[in-house]
């Protein structure tokens, strides 16, 4: 049996949206490749959603258009990705001329909704990078647009697909420690990776929604998936105490700063040829500075964050995010009626690694790189018993191996049932950002925020597998 590219795309979107409909085994006509357009040609767009798709899946898909407001980055992206498709600074024009099957959105977070909604209204399925969007109003608009369009939205949550995170899910699914009652979850960004957000547009709430949304959406999605429940309420604290106007000195950017010899956070972008070609060479088109000063006064996001989250199934979560830690990594502990599971990744004194802290994020972002075999442990405590150690083979590159597994599921094996339900759709995307949006609103008002008050989605004690 051969499916048309439309039936193929419908199938993968149904699966990736965690649809309740069964997926049948099928083949598809490879002479009719999936027509894809990409809007947003930054690092993530050109690499993971650009070059890697061309390198790995060019037998089943083709790029028919690239779009960006920066014409210089567009020209760079075309060469870097390795495509011959036309370029557009006008997204609407690209849709009309190319008539794609799938729109991939990798723009500034605050503009995701614009391209998602236009793509759905044009009759395309849409795949967006996380976060889905940056506030509750835009989230509701996306939700309404998908319902009206009858099309599908995929959210690229790659962290679910790493072997380590999947093993945690397996242990919880198997009721290893009984019913979960509470969780402690702490994420540490080091002074290389954490600082990078404050150099970029992510340092402004109106661009990235704060790290509660841009970064923590990964963490909240993991929680929702691990606990198999929706969040119902959040109360949070946060402040800007390290970066922004708190810095000892300021400069226009790192390249020209007179304090570079004294600043511990000095970032020499000239040592990274890809960033020089992608960003510095094209600053004149839109004024975006990639090596901006961490201590500029316009920064208004939080660098210290903690929250208490209550779930619809009565699980409570204590969460924190640190943006200037000496090391990069995370810890989580699940408390259950029959015991406790403790897990952590990249805590330097728990593992032997040749990757230093300056290279951690770059290594995580690498695609298709060969690397040494590694293992990490998960500790399982049972009440009144000694603990057991579960050893898990792990990877560092491609977000812990999640990137390639996510791609393969979408483009190679959409018909194969996933026992861990790792694919993510619009409800997953919205529930993950609503925790961060609620946390941000809680800090601003000083009050707890009900998740049900943010959109028309009702939090459920048992997550449903549907597209709305």
């Amino acid at each position: 049996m051969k499916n048309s590219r439309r039936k193929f795309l419908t199938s993968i979107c149904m699966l990736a949206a965690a649809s309740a409909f069964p997926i049948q085994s099928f083949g598809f006509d490879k002479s009719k490749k999936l027509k894809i357009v990409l809007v947003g040609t930054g690092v993530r767009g050109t690499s993971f959603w650009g070059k890697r798709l061309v390198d790995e899946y060019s037998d089943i898909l083709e790029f028919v258009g690239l779009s960006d407001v920066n014409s210089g980055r567009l020209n760079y992206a075309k060469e870097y990705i390795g495509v011959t498709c036309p370029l557009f600074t006008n997204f609407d024009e690209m849709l009309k001329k190319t008539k794609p099957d799938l729109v991939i959105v990798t723009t500034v977070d605050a503009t995701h909704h614009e391209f998602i909604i236009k793509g759905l209204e044009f009759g395309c399925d849409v795949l967006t990078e996380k976060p889905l969007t940056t506030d509750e109003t835009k989230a509701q608009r996306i939700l309404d647009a998908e319902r009206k369009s009858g099309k599908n939205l995929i959210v690229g949550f790659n962290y679910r697909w790493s072997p380590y995170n999947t093993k945690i899910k397996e242990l919880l699914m198997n009721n290893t420690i009984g019913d979960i009652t509470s969780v402690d979850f702490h994420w540490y960004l080091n002074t290389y990776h954490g600082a990078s957000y404050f150099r970029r547009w992510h340092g402004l709430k109106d661009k990235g929604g704060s790290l509660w949304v841009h970064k923590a959406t990964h963490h909240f999605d993991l929680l929702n998936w691990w606990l198999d429940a929706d969040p119902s309420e959040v109360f949070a604290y946060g402040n800007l105490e390290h970066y922004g106007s708190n810095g000892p000195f300021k400069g226009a950017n790192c390249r020209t700063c007179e304090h570079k010899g004294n600043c511990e956070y000095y970032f020499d972008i000239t040592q990274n040829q890809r960033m020089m070609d992608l960003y510095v060479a094209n600053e004149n088109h839109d004024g975006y500075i990639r090596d901006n000063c961490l201590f500029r006064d316009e920064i208004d996001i939080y660098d210290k964050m903690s929250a208490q989250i209550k779930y619809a199934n009565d699980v409570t979560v204590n969460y924190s995010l640190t943006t200037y830690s000496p090391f990069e990594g995370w810890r989580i502990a699940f408390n259950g009626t029959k015991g406790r599971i403790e897990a952590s990744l990249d805590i330097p004194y728990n593992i032997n690694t040749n990757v230093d802290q300056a290279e951690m994020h770059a290594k995580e972002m690498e695609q298709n790189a060969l690397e040494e075999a590694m293992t990490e442990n998960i500790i399982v405590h049972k009440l009144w018993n000694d603990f057991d150690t579960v050893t898990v083979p792990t990877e560092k590159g491609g977000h812990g191996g999640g990137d390639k597994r996510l791609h393969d599921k979408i483009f190679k094996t959409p018909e194969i049932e996933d026992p861990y339900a790792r694919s993510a759709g619009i409800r997953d995307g919205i529930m993950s950002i609503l925790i961060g949006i609620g946390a941000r609103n809680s800090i601003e008002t000083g009050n707890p925020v009900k998740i049900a008050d943010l959109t028309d989605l009702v939090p459920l004690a048992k997550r449903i597998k549907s597209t709305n």
Side-chain angles (χ1 to χ4, degrees):
M1 174 183 178
K2 288 187 176 181
N3 284 359
S4 68
R5 59 183 175 180
R6 174 51 55 196
K7 188 171 182 180
F8 169 65
L9 183 60
T10 300
S11 296
I12 66 169
C13 286
M14 286 168 61
L15 179 66
S19 170
F21 297 101
I23 302 299
Q24 304 299 325
S25 296
F26 63 94
F28 61 92
D29 187 351
K30 293 186 178 181
S31 67
K32 295 181 179 179
K33 294 183 178 181
L34 196 67
K35 294 169 60 179
I36 295 178
V37 295
L38 172 74
V39 57
T41 56
V43 165
R44 187 69 170 167
T46 55
S47 58
F48 183 58
W49 294 113
K51 181 174 172 55
R52 190 172 193 279
L53 294 191
V54 170
D55 290 347
E56 299 295 326
Y57 310 102
S58 58
D59 59 327
I60 60 174
L61 59 83
E62 63 178 332
F63 281 89
V64 295
L66 303 178
S67 179
D68 200 299
V69 294
N70 187 309
S71 59
R73 279 202 301 270
L74 268 177
N75 287 315
Y76 169 84
K78 182 176 183 177
E79 180 178 351
Y80 180 83
I81 296 173
V83 292
T84 58
C85 62
L87 308 178
F88 300 88
T89 54
N90 184 295
F91 179 73
D92 295 344
E93 180 186 2
M94 179 173 69
L95 291 182
K96 292 175 183 176
K97 288 188 175 181
T98 64
K99 296 178 173 56
D101 299 314
L102 178 66
V103 175
I104 299 179
V105 179
T106 58
T107 60
V108 171
D109 297 347
T111 65
H112 281 187
H113 71 292
E114 174 186 346
F115 303 107
I116 291 170
I117 293 170
K118 285 183 176 181
L120 292 170
E121 290 177 344
F122 192 78
C124 302
D125 293 292
V126 179
L127 190 156
T128 183
E129 256 292 348
K130 62 80 195 169
L132 178 64
T133 188
T134 54
D135 65 44
E136 60 269 46
T137 302
K138 294 173 182 176
Q140 186 65 58
R141 287 179 59 193
I142 292 171
L143 189 58
D144 293 341
E146 193 203 40
R147 288 167 174 166
K148 184 178 179 181
S149 71
K151 308 310 294 183
N152 298 282
L153 177 63
I154 309 168
V155 183
F157 282 125
N158 46 0
Y159 276 26
R160 293 184 180 195
W161 292 86
S162 78
Y164 191 79
N165 293 335
T166 297
K167 176 56 72 171
I168 294 173
K169 177 67 172 178
E170 179 184 312
L171 291 169
L172 296 174
M173 287 173 60
N174 291 341
N175 203 36
T176 304
I177 56 170
D179 296 330
I180 306 304
T181 56
S182 66
V183 182
D184 296 304
F185 194 13
H186 306 290
W187 203 285
Y188 315 102
L189 297 173
N190 66 22
T191 49
Y192 301 93
H193 185 195
S196 72
Y197 292 110
F198 295 82
R199 290 192 183 94
R200 300 177 274 163
W201 53 261
H202 307 74
L204 306 178
K205 284 183 187 177
D206 66 353
K207 300 291 186 184
S210 81
L211 294 182
W212 278 119
V213 177
H214 175 81
K215 182 61 180 176
T217 187
H218 266 318
H219 315 155
F220 299 144
D221 177 68
L222 284 174
L223 282 169
N224 297 347
W225 173 61
W226 280 328
L227 297 175
D228 201 24
D230 292 332
S232 61
E233 184 174 293
V234 60
F235 182 79
Y237 292 100
N239 212 335
L240 178 63
E241 296 179 344
H242 191 79
Y243 300 111
S245 59
N246 300 290
F249 32 68
K250 295 176 177 61
N253 56 57
C254 282
R255 275 166 287 159
T256 62
C257 185
E258 63 184 26
H259 303 289
K260 65 178 65 175
N262 301 316
C263 182
E264 296 288 349
Y265 287 99
Y266 170 59
F267 167 56
D268 188 359
I269 197 171
T270 65
Q271 298 302 306
N272 188 315
Q273 192 59 50
R274 173 147 153 73
M275 286 193 182
M276 290 293 291
D277 294 340
L278 179 59
Y279 292 116
V280 176
N282 299 304
E283 290 173 351
N284 60 303
H285 295 285
D286 61 5
Y288 177 55
I289 308 298
R290 180 57 182 78
D291 61 336
N292 235 324
C293 182
L294 293 169
F295 305 121
R296 63 193 190 282
D297 292 332
E298 67 174 348
I299 292 174
D300 62 357
I301 66 169
Y302 311 105
D303 56 24
K304 179 180 78 172
M305 289 154 279
S306 65
Q308 185 161 47
I309 308 159
K310 183 177 181 181
Y311 276 77
N313 61 356
D314 288 329
V315 173
T316 56
V317 176
N318 292 303
Y319 169 85
S320 71
L321 176 61
T322 302
T323 61
Y324 43 89
S325 170
F327 61 85
E328 182 101 352
W330 55 270
R331 291 188 178 96
I332 194 165
F334 298 87
N335 298 303
T337 55
K338 297 180 180 179
R340 174 180 169 95
I341 291 174
E342 296 181 3
S344 64
L345 277 184
D346 299 327
I347 307 302
Y349 40 83
N350 289 346
I351 60 173
N352 293 318
T353 177
N354 295 324
V355 180
D356 67 29
Q357 288 297 315
E359 298 174 348
M360 286 287 288
H361 184 56
K363 185 69 176 176
E364 183 183 43
M365 295 293 285
E366 283 183 7
Q367 304 293 332
N368 304 321
L370 296 176
E371 55 185 312
E372 297 179 14
M374 297 177 60
T375 59
E376 297 272 3
N377 295 328
I378 299 172
I379 307 300
V380 178
H381 300 258
K382 296 290 186 69
L383 296 182
W384 305 292
N385 286 285
D386 290 336
F387 68 86
D388 292 322
T389 300
V390 178
T391 300
V392 185
T394 59
E395 304 166 30
K396 177 55 59 184
H399 289 94
D403 282 353
K404 63 184 180 183
R405 289 171 173 82
L406 171 62
H407 271 176
D408 282 349
K409 188 58 177 176
I410 294 174
F411 297 109
K412 280 189 174 181
T413 60
E415 77 281 8
I416 298 177
E417 183 179 355
D418 176 19
Y420 306 110
R422 286 170 290 189
S423 299
I426 188 169
R427 186 182 179 94
D428 303 289
I430 289 179
M431 282 298 172
S432 70
I433 61 170
L434 289 186
I435 300 176
I437 291 167
R440 196 179 63 210
N441 293 353
S442 176
I443 293 169
E444 293 171 356
T445 64
N447 298 314
V449 172
K450 299 283 189 182
I451 298 299
D453 292 340
L454 299 176
T455 68
D456 65 13
L457 292 182
V458 177
L460 301 174
K462 179 72 173 178
R463 290 169 63 245
I464 59 173
K465 296 180 180 181
S466 69
T467 59
N468 55 33

PDB file of all heavy atoms in Angstrom, residues 5 9 33-37 60-64 98-103:
ATOM      1  N   ARG A   5       1.722  11.791  -0.033  1.00  0.00           N
ATOM      2  CA  ARG A   5       2.446  12.571   0.977  1.00  0.00           C
ATOM      3  C   ARG A   5       1.477  13.205   1.958  1.00  0.00           C
ATOM      4  O   ARG A   5       1.793  13.407   3.125  1.00  0.00           O
ATOM      5  CB  ARG A   5       3.292  13.647   0.307  1.00  0.00           C
ATOM      6  CG  ARG A   5       2.491  14.627  -0.538  1.00  0.00           C
ATOM      7  CD  ARG A   5       3.389  15.612  -1.232  1.00  0.00           C
ATOM      8  NE  ARG A   5       2.607  16.458  -2.112  1.00  0.00           N
ATOM      9  CZ  ARG A   5       3.123  17.411  -2.855  1.00  0.00           C
ATOM     10  NH1 ARG A   5       4.409  17.630  -2.836  1.00  0.00           N
ATOM     11  NH2 ARG A   5       2.365  18.170  -3.616  1.00  0.00           N
ATOM     12  N   LEU A   9       1.723  12.645   5.869  1.00  0.00           N
ATOM     13  CA  LEU A   9       1.872  13.754   6.799  1.00  0.00           C
ATOM     14  C   LEU A   9       0.769  13.738   7.845  1.00  0.00           C
ATOM     15  O   LEU A   9       1.017  13.987   9.025  1.00  0.00           O
ATOM     16  CB  LEU A   9       1.857  15.088   6.038  1.00  0.00           C
ATOM     17  CG  LEU A   9       2.068  16.332   6.907  1.00  0.00           C
ATOM     18  CD1 LEU A   9       3.418  16.256   7.595  1.00  0.00           C
ATOM     19  CD2 LEU A   9       1.976  17.594   6.080  1.00  0.00           C
ATOM     20  N   LYS A  33       7.895  13.782  -2.424  1.00  0.00           N
ATOM     21  CA  LYS A  33       8.513  14.139  -1.153  1.00  0.00           C
ATOM     22  C   LYS A  33       7.649  15.147  -0.379  1.00  0.00           C
ATOM     23  O   LYS A  33       6.903  15.923  -0.956  1.00  0.00           O
ATOM     24  CB  LYS A  33       9.896  14.734  -1.394  1.00  0.00           C
ATOM     25  CG  LYS A  33      10.897  13.748  -1.972  1.00  0.00           C
ATOM     26  CD  LYS A  33      12.267  14.396  -2.117  1.00  0.00           C
ATOM     27  CE  LYS A  33      13.288  13.401  -2.649  1.00  0.00           C
ATOM     28  NZ  LYS A  33      14.634  13.989  -2.772  1.00  0.00           N
ATOM     29  N   LEU A  34       7.812  15.098   0.926  1.00  0.00           N
ATOM     30  CA  LEU A  34       7.143  16.034   1.812  1.00  0.00           C
ATOM     31  C   LEU A  34       7.697  17.431   1.568  1.00  0.00           C
ATOM     32  O   LEU A  34       8.899  17.654   1.627  1.00  0.00           O
ATOM     33  CB  LEU A  34       7.407  15.600   3.259  1.00  0.00           C
ATOM     34  CG  LEU A  34       6.542  16.155   4.362  1.00  0.00           C
ATOM     35  CD1 LEU A  34       5.113  15.651   4.221  1.00  0.00           C
ATOM     36  CD2 LEU A  34       7.111  15.733   5.709  1.00  0.00           C
ATOM     37  N   LYS A  35       6.819  18.390   1.291  1.00  0.00           N
ATOM     38  CA  LYS A  35       7.241  19.765   0.996  1.00  0.00           C
ATOM     39  C   LYS A  35       7.268  20.575   2.286  1.00  0.00           C
ATOM     40  O   LYS A  35       6.240  20.772   2.940  1.00  0.00           O
ATOM     41  CB  LYS A  35       6.284  20.389  -0.016  1.00  0.00           C
ATOM     42  CG  LYS A  35       6.316  19.738  -1.388  1.00  0.00           C
ATOM     43  CD  LYS A  35       5.167  20.218  -2.266  1.00  0.00           C
ATOM     44  CE  LYS A  35       5.205  21.719  -2.494  1.00  0.00           C
ATOM     45  NZ  LYS A  35       4.089  22.163  -3.365  1.00  0.00           N
ATOM     46  N   ILE A  36       8.461  21.047   2.641  1.00  0.00           N
ATOM     47  CA  ILE A  36       8.671  21.736   3.915  1.00  0.00           C
ATOM     48  C   ILE A  36       9.158  23.157   3.685  1.00  0.00           C
ATOM     49  O   ILE A  36       9.968  23.420   2.789  1.00  0.00           O
ATOM     50  CB  ILE A  36       9.704  20.971   4.768  1.00  0.00           C
ATOM     51  CG1 ILE A  36       9.163  19.604   5.171  1.00  0.00           C
ATOM     52  CG2 ILE A  36      10.082  21.759   6.017  1.00  0.00           C
ATOM     53  CD1 ILE A  36      10.145  18.776   5.966  1.00  0.00           C
ATOM     54  N   VAL A  37       8.664  24.092   4.520  1.00  0.00           N
ATOM     55  CA  VAL A  37       9.240  25.432   4.587  1.00  0.00           C
ATOM     56  C   VAL A  37       9.679  25.694   6.022  1.00  0.00           C
ATOM     57  O   VAL A  37       9.100  25.150   6.972  1.00  0.00           O
ATOM     58  CB  VAL A  37       8.254  26.530   4.133  1.00  0.00           C
ATOM     59  CG1 VAL A  37       7.920  26.383   2.664  1.00  0.00           C
ATOM     60  CG2 VAL A  37       6.994  26.559   4.988  1.00  0.00           C
ATOM     61  N   ILE A  60      12.853  11.520   1.643  1.00  0.00           N
ATOM     62  CA  ILE A  60      11.410  11.618   1.867  1.00  0.00           C
ATOM     63  C   ILE A  60      10.899  13.041   2.025  1.00  0.00           C
ATOM     64  O   ILE A  60       9.685  13.257   2.115  1.00  0.00           O
ATOM     65  CB  ILE A  60      10.983  10.791   3.100  1.00  0.00           C
ATOM     66  CG1 ILE A  60      11.681  11.294   4.360  1.00  0.00           C
ATOM     67  CG2 ILE A  60      11.252   9.305   2.880  1.00  0.00           C
ATOM     68  CD1 ILE A  60      11.189  10.622   5.646  1.00  0.00           C
ATOM     69  N   LEU A  61      11.792  14.026   2.078  1.00  0.00           N
ATOM     70  CA  LEU A  61      11.353  15.406   2.241  1.00  0.00           C
ATOM     71  C   LEU A  61      12.244  16.344   1.454  1.00  0.00           C
ATOM     72  O   LEU A  61      13.371  16.019   1.098  1.00  0.00           O
ATOM     73  CB  LEU A  61      11.311  15.797   3.723  1.00  0.00           C
ATOM     74  CG  LEU A  61      12.607  15.707   4.553  1.00  0.00           C
ATOM     75  CD1 LEU A  61      13.497  16.932   4.388  1.00  0.00           C
ATOM     76  CD2 LEU A  61      12.269  15.498   6.028  1.00  0.00           C
ATOM     77  N   GLU A  62      11.714  17.545   1.201  1.00  0.00           N
ATOM     78  CA  GLU A  62      12.494  18.576   0.529  1.00  0.00           C
ATOM     79  C   GLU A  62      12.061  19.950   1.015  1.00  0.00           C
ATOM     80  O   GLU A  62      10.882  20.181   1.292  1.00  0.00           O
ATOM     81  CB  GLU A  62      12.319  18.492  -0.989  1.00  0.00           C
ATOM     82  CG  GLU A  62      10.907  18.749  -1.483  1.00  0.00           C
ATOM     83  CD  GLU A  62      10.807  18.704  -2.995  1.00  0.00           C
ATOM     84  OE1 GLU A  62      11.820  18.994  -3.655  1.00  0.00           O
ATOM     85  OE2 GLU A  62       9.719  18.377  -3.504  1.00  0.00           O
ATOM     86  N   PHE A  63      13.029  20.839   1.148  1.00  0.00           N
ATOM     87  CA  PHE A  63      12.731  22.222   1.491  1.00  0.00           C
ATOM     88  C   PHE A  63      12.340  22.964   0.227  1.00  0.00           C
ATOM     89  O   PHE A  63      13.073  22.963  -0.762  1.00  0.00           O
ATOM     90  CB  PHE A  63      13.938  22.890   2.150  1.00  0.00           C
ATOM     91  CG  PHE A  63      14.102  22.535   3.601  1.00  0.00           C
ATOM     92  CD1 PHE A  63      14.849  21.425   3.980  1.00  0.00           C
ATOM     93  CD2 PHE A  63      13.491  23.291   4.585  1.00  0.00           C
ATOM     94  CE1 PHE A  63      14.989  21.077   5.310  1.00  0.00           C
ATOM     95  CE2 PHE A  63      13.624  22.968   5.924  1.00  0.00           C
ATOM     96  CZ  PHE A  63      14.370  21.851   6.283  1.00  0.00           C
ATOM     97  N   VAL A  64      11.168  23.620   0.276  1.00  0.00           N
ATOM     98  CA  VAL A  64      10.713  24.400  -0.879  1.00  0.00           C
ATOM     99  C   VAL A  64      10.769  25.901  -0.598  1.00  0.00           C
ATOM    100  O   VAL A  64      10.471  26.706  -1.482  1.00  0.00           O
ATOM    101  CB  VAL A  64       9.282  23.987  -1.282  1.00  0.00           C
ATOM    102  CG1 VAL A  64       9.271  22.540  -1.760  1.00  0.00           C
ATOM    103  CG2 VAL A  64       8.281  24.199  -0.147  1.00  0.00           C
ATOM    104  N   THR A  98       4.869  28.566  -2.501  1.00  0.00           N
ATOM    105  CA  THR A  98       5.430  27.215  -2.359  1.00  0.00           C
ATOM    106  C   THR A  98       4.391  26.155  -2.006  1.00  0.00           C
ATOM    107  O   THR A  98       4.621  24.974  -2.220  1.00  0.00           O
ATOM    108  CB  THR A  98       6.533  27.191  -1.288  1.00  0.00           C
ATOM    109  OG1 THR A  98       5.961  27.512  -0.005  1.00  0.00           O
ATOM    110  CG2 THR A  98       7.630  28.195  -1.607  1.00  0.00           C
ATOM    111  N   LYS A  99       3.272  26.569  -1.403  1.00  0.00           N
ATOM    112  CA  LYS A  99       2.202  25.640  -1.019  1.00  0.00           C
ATOM    113  C   LYS A  99       2.753  24.398  -0.289  1.00  0.00           C
ATOM    114  O   LYS A  99       2.624  23.263  -0.753  1.00  0.00           O
ATOM    115  CB  LYS A  99       1.390  25.232  -2.245  1.00  0.00           C
ATOM    116  CG  LYS A  99       0.651  26.386  -2.897  1.00  0.00           C
ATOM    117  CD  LYS A  99      -0.109  25.951  -4.128  1.00  0.00           C
ATOM    118  CE  LYS A  99      -0.979  27.072  -4.684  1.00  0.00           C
ATOM    119  NZ  LYS A  99      -0.217  28.291  -4.997  1.00  0.00           N
ATOM    120  N   PRO A 100       3.342  24.613   0.873  1.00  0.00           N
ATOM    121  CA  PRO A 100       4.002  23.499   1.577  1.00  0.00           C
ATOM    122  C   PRO A 100       3.014  22.558   2.253  1.00  0.00           C
ATOM    123  O   PRO A 100       1.846  22.893   2.487  1.00  0.00           O
ATOM    124  CB  PRO A 100       4.848  24.225   2.623  1.00  0.00           C
ATOM    125  CG  PRO A 100       4.064  25.466   2.925  1.00  0.00           C
ATOM    126  CD  PRO A 100       3.463  25.888   1.608  1.00  0.00           C
ATOM    127  N   ASP A 101       3.505  21.368   2.590  1.00  0.00           N
ATOM    128  CA  ASP A 101       2.762  20.438   3.425  1.00  0.00           C
ATOM    129  C   ASP A 101       2.951  20.760   4.902  1.00  0.00           C
ATOM    130  O   ASP A 101       2.032  20.628   5.699  1.00  0.00           O
ATOM    131  CB  ASP A 101       3.251  19.005   3.189  1.00  0.00           C
ATOM    132  CG  ASP A 101       3.061  18.555   1.751  1.00  0.00           C
ATOM    133  OD1 ASP A 101       1.970  18.785   1.202  1.00  0.00           O
ATOM    134  OD2 ASP A 101       4.019  17.980   1.182  1.00  0.00           O
ATOM    135  N   LEU A 102       4.178  21.136   5.239  1.00  0.00           N
ATOM    136  CA  LEU A 102       4.550  21.332   6.633  1.00  0.00           C
ATOM    137  C   LEU A 102       5.336  22.631   6.794  1.00  0.00           C
ATOM    138  O   LEU A 102       6.278  22.886   6.047  1.00  0.00           O
ATOM    139  CB  LEU A 102       5.406  20.152   7.121  1.00  0.00           C
ATOM    140  CG  LEU A 102       5.938  20.200   8.558  1.00  0.00           C
ATOM    141  CD1 LEU A 102       4.791  20.113   9.563  1.00  0.00           C
ATOM    142  CD2 LEU A 102       6.941  19.076   8.808  1.00  0.00           C
ATOM    143  N   VAL A 103       4.946  23.432   7.801  1.00  0.00           N
ATOM    144  CA  VAL A 103       5.667  24.653   8.168  1.00  0.00           C
ATOM    145  C   VAL A 103       6.434  24.380   9.456  1.00  0.00           C
ATOM    146  O   VAL A 103       5.856  23.924  10.449  1.00  0.00           O
ATOM    147  CB  VAL A 103       4.698  25.834   8.388  1.00  0.00           C
ATOM    148  CG1 VAL A 103       5.464  27.065   8.884  1.00  0.00           C
ATOM    149  CG2 VAL A 103       3.937  26.163   7.115  1.00  0.00           C
TER     150      VAL A 103
END
